[in-house]
Amino acid sequence: MATLGNPQNTIAVLQKYQFNFQKKFGQNFLIDTHVLDKIIAAANITKEDLVLEIGPGIGTMTQYLCENAREVVAVEIDKNLIPILEDTLSEYDNVSVINGDILKVDINKIVEEKNGGKPIKVVANLPYYITTPIIMGLFESHVPVENITVMVQKEVADRMQVGPGTKEYGALSLAVQYYAEPYIVANVPPNCFMPRPKVGSAVIRLTCHKEPPVKVADETLLFRLIRASFNQRRKTLVNGLQNSPEITATKEEILAALDSMGVSPTVRGETFDLEAFACLANALTK
Ligand code: SAM
């Protein structure tokens, strides 16, 4: 089987199997070897690593991963791609393909069985319709992960990376930065994919923190505060929190907490960084 990653070989495989792209699965296959090289380099894959690939498609990036990693586990939802993957990956004995939905697969079990519970690396050209649930699912289920290197919509990559004072800043920025250090590796134009997506893309690497950068007594409260403040971006932080069904603190308690932090009662949530939200969560926990 010839190496994929260029338009000719990709078209040959698609024709051989008369494959029809499924829009509902966010199928945009990579056809640019430079981008593939960049992803592998940014993820810092070595022969020690177990790599989880989400959505291998016809196996383009999977081939690169098999060459560079110790072992690869690839989870693909589309059953029509399974016979294609058997063909395109037939030369490799260090890969297993699971036909399933990544949001339902027990990744902790895979890490336990295949990597003795040690941190893995996650690499994917993600289906854009479920980027946030996939990434937050990995973080929140506390799967041992060293880094996550993924292709996402450019706008989403920007939102993950920015801090206060930009219009992209929001709940996703804070959630991602609580768990990991984001770094945008490359911007990728639509012509690097088949079919071309309507939006620009970017590769982002999330290097997972060993310990969260802020300490909070109640992690659930921290995330409730973050969500509530950005749900009503135009309101003051106090009003935003008061209007949220998720927050039980009274106006007086919130004002007292802000006062203890030396912050104005009319502050807006969008000016708060992760540390400020952590201080607020801890003040309200007291
Ligand atoms: N990795 C391939 C590449 O770069 O050419 C394909 C990337 S394509 C953007 C996304 C892939 O994820 C598709 O193969 C799609 O079928 C698969 N996919 C979509 N939803 C999925 C899910 N919930 N679980 C696992 N795979 C999924």
Side-chain angles (χ1 to χ4, degrees), residues 169-176 178 214 219-232 237 241 246-247 269-270 272-274 276-278 280-281:
Y169 183 61
L172 182 66
S173 329
L174 285 156
V176 164
Y178 180 74
V214 293
E219 212 173 81
T220 312
L221 177 62
L222 171 71
F223 284 103
R224 282 188 180 161
L225 291 171
I226 291 171
R227 272 196 302 272
S229 340
F230 287 97
N231 266 345
Q232 297 194 312
L237 179 65
L241 297 184
E246 280 197 308
I247 305 292
E270 63 195 12
F272 263 34
D273 60 10
L274 188 56
F277 275 109
L280 179 62

Side-chain angles (χ1 to χ4, degrees), residues 25-30 53-58 60-61 75-78 81 100-103 125-127 129-130:
F25 290 143
Q27 292 175 340
N28 300 95
F29 297 163
L30 264 169
E53 187 189 8
I54 300 162
I58 59 169
T60 309
M61 189 146 65
V75 179
E76 173 56 59
I77 199 166
D78 186 352
L81 287 166
D101 179 346
I102 191 64
L103 297 178
N125 168 16
L126 285 177
Y129 74 107
I130 43 168

